[in-house]
Amino acid sequence: MRRKPERRRSRTSPRPDAVLVPPFAWKVEELGSAGDGLARPLDPSNGTDVAFIPLTAPGDVVLAQPIGQGRVRLVEVMTPAPERVPPPCGLFGVCGGCTLQHLSLSWIQAWKKNRIQDGLQKAGATTLPSISVVATPPSTRRRADLAVRQQGTALVIGLHRRGGDVVDLTECHVLHPDILRLLPPLRDLFPRLDLFRREAELAINLLDTGPDLLIVSKHDASPRDRERLADFTRAHGIPRIAGKRSGPKEEPEILAQVGPPRIAFAGVDVEPPPGAFLQASREGEAAIQQAVVAALPRIPGRKAHVVELHAGCGTLTFPLAEHTRVEAYEGHPGATRALQRAATGHRVEAHQRDLDRQPLNARELGTALAVVLDPPYGGAGLQMQALLDAKPTTLIYVSCNPQILFRDAARLLACGYTIDAVTVVDQFLWSAEIETVCRFSRKATR
């Protein structure tokens, strides 16, 4: 008999043995970096100086309750801020996907722009160019990382509430409709799979050829699973379903495939590996590509080249190759193979390299026209220090983590760089996540 998994408590629920303080009034002053409201009690005698309260807005007066370990639970909005709007999704406040649907998209975009501007100024930018903001529409997100859970007699597919159980994704105003349409038949499919025993993870990438699925489970697929998955791919226009065992070092295997899974970057077809990283939406991808290409210096001649670090499957590589030769480096073996296959006949040299363990040095960066850096969420690691040592004249930095961007900007500015182009791309709607493209330039020294 399999042991029933322990139910996790919501992060906003009190511990069973906690001594609760009665709720009291707070005034929300601003949003923190995670999107929670920074608030102070109206009555200082309550003994709490400041707290972050989820689902609040600057200007709110709220009734909220400390529940221990520095956490505060919203009880009631007593006086709403003028920026508040009705959330479009009925799951808001329960599903952990969106944190800011109680604020208008225009307000959120202005907040994101100001956050990038303030952060870069605090990093040492005495002057900044005008920051442009590109916002993607709702219902365009083309990738989803979902949890699949058996909860009692029901099978749910969705996102975790804050630190708690999985919320069934019966509604979403962020995901592309083609992903949402897959969820009901997937709820019927998983209980019939031998690889599924109470829990699994599911990654969906919406490619040009249709949805590409990766199932992560603690158990292997049986021959019967493969037959059922093959039937499912044919019935729902899915070119490929892959699976892998849980664990970071496990490699995916193809469980069912009826056609080539493809996506085009600047007109070049790429067959990405299962679970490949893609920009969140086509519109966001296009905005980032345009900002990166616009940041290129003037092309001085046919021998000019760009060095691209963390190239992935070629999201930026092929748009760049329309203008100059590209030396692209990527650490993931599957992504590198996909890039190398697609690079044939284009001005692209693709190399597999773990840039944190073996960063490119000044000699290898050589006379590159520019370096394009699109690091993972945790930053560029040792490669950032190698860039600071090499001092390329132009660094085009694509960031998905503002805190890491601000840290690296401070180091670059201290080395003599200036910031001469900034684009904020809001493709993570109703969340605190921000994508930014910055161009750092410095005068070449003889």
Side-chain angles (χ1 to χ4, degrees):
M1 180 177 177
R2 292 189 297 273
R3 181 180 176 184
K4 184 177 180 180
E6 179 183 0
R7 178 173 176 173
R8 290 178 289 179
R9 291 185 296 274
S10 168
R11 201 173 76 182
T12 56
S13 300
R15 294 176 58 88
D17 56 350
V19 178
L20 294 182
V21 176
F24 52 87
W26 304 71
K27 177 67 178 289
V28 181
E29 298 180 350
E30 59 181 312
L31 290 189
S33 60
D36 294 341
L38 185 151
R40 298 183 189 277
L42 290 182
D43 182 356
S45 66
N46 282 303
T48 303
D49 292 331
V50 68
F52 287 96
I53 308 177
L55 310 179
T56 59
D60 277 348
V61 177
V62 302
L63 191 66
Q65 181 181 35
I67 55 176
Q69 298 180 332
R71 295 172 295 156
V72 177
R73 178 175 62 90
L74 177 66
V75 175
E76 177 188 353
V77 179
M78 301 164 64
T79 304
E83 291 81 14
R84 274 191 172 270
V85 298
C89 182
L91 295 178
F92 178 67
V94 180
C95 166
C98 293
T99 56
L100 298 175
Q101 281 195 4
H102 56 296
L103 292 160
S104 70
L105 284 173
S106 59
W107 190 95
I108 296 168
Q109 288 150 20
W111 173 72
K112 290 184 177 183
K113 176 182 176 180
N114 291 335
R115 187 176 166 214
I116 295 300
Q117 180 173 294
D118 292 346
L120 292 176
Q121 288 174 337
K122 289 176 181 176
T126 54
T127 59
L128 280 174
S130 176
I131 298 176
S132 59
V133 179
V134 181
T136 60
S139 301
T140 57
R141 186 178 175 96
R142 64 178 177 186
R143 60 181 172 88
D145 295 304
L146 304 172
V148 185
R149 296 291 186 271
Q150 189 73 42
Q151 294 183 355
T153 59
L155 184 134
V156 301
I157 301 178
L159 302 172
H160 287 274
R161 70 183 77 222
R162 291 194 166 204
D165 292 336
V166 177
V167 176
D168 205 22
L169 208 60
T170 55
E171 179 182 0
C172 185
H173 295 254
V174 174
L175 287 178
H176 194 284
D178 288 353
I179 294 179
L180 285 179
R181 279 193 284 268
L182 265 184
L183 299 189
L186 283 166
R187 292 186 187 98
D188 294 333
L189 172 68
F190 268 93
R192 299 186 291 119
L193 296 177
D194 296 326
L195 63 79
F196 177 73
R197 302 179 192 177
R198 299 199 65 86
E199 63 180 22
E201 309 300 323
L202 173 65
I204 304 176
N205 275 338
L206 191 58
L207 306 180
D208 295 341
T209 49
D212 189 34
L213 274 60
L214 173 63
I215 301 169
V216 182
S217 172
K218 296 177 181 178
H219 309 280
D220 292 324
S222 66
R224 183 172 61 176
D225 286 347
R226 295 172 187 268
E227 293 177 5
R228 288 175 172 165
L229 290 169
D231 292 340
F232 192 81
T233 59
R234 288 188 287 267
H236 297 282
I238 299 170
R240 177 178 67 184
I241 299 179
K244 82 178 193 75
R245 293 288 294 267
S246 304
K249 295 185 179 180
E250 298 295 326
E251 289 295 321
E253 65 167 325
I254 307 303
L255 303 180
Q257 184 165 344
V258 296
R262 289 181 181 152
I263 188 168
F265 303 124
V268 179
D269 279 342
V270 178
E271 185 173 327
F277 171 80
L278 300 177
Q279 290 297 338
S281 68
R282 297 175 194 273
E283 294 83 355
E285 174 183 276
I288 294 168
Q289 290 169 338
Q290 290 168 11
V292 168
V293 169
L296 283 174
R298 184 180 62 84
I299 310 299
R302 295 182 61 185
K303 293 185 177 181
H305 73 282
V306 165
V307 172
E308 183 190 6
L309 307 175
H310 301 286
C313 296
T315 302
L316 301 177
T317 312
F318 295 108
L320 286 166
E322 291 185 319
H323 302 271
T324 185
R325 187 165 57 86
V326 182
E327 294 180 7
Y329 294 83
E330 168 57 41
H332 187 279
T336 306
R337 287 193 296 269
L339 181 56
Q340 288 170 336
R341 287 193 296 266
T344 303
H346 300 276
R347 294 188 293 177
V348 174
E349 296 178 18
H351 309 273
Q352 182 182 336
R353 186 152 168 176
D354 185 333
L355 295 172
D356 192 36
R357 293 171 181 257
Q358 191 183 2
L360 268 70
N361 58 34
R363 179 183 58 80
E364 292 169 304
L365 291 169
T367 58
L369 174 71
V371 174
V372 177
L373 174 67
D374 186 4
Y377 190 82
L382 292 179
Q383 182 62 71
M384 193 66 224
Q385 183 57 54
L387 284 167
L388 292 167
D389 294 339
K391 297 180 177 63
T393 55
T394 301
L395 174 63
I396 304 169
Y397 191 134
V398 183
S399 165
C400 61
N401 185 339
Q403 292 304 118
I404 298 295
L405 171 64
F406 302 153
R407 182 197 69 187
D408 289 343
R411 301 170 72 190
L412 288 162
L413 292 166
C415 283
Y417 283 87
T418 59
I419 302 174
D420 46 26
V422 182
T423 300
V424 170
V425 179
D426 186 15
Q427 63 173 341
F428 303 105
L429 299 184
W430 296 299
S431 82
E433 303 298 327
I434 309 174
E435 195 90 21
T436 313
V437 180
C438 289
R439 182 175 68 193
F440 293 87
S441 303
R442 66 186 300 275
K443 292 182 179 181
T445 56
R446 293 186 180 183

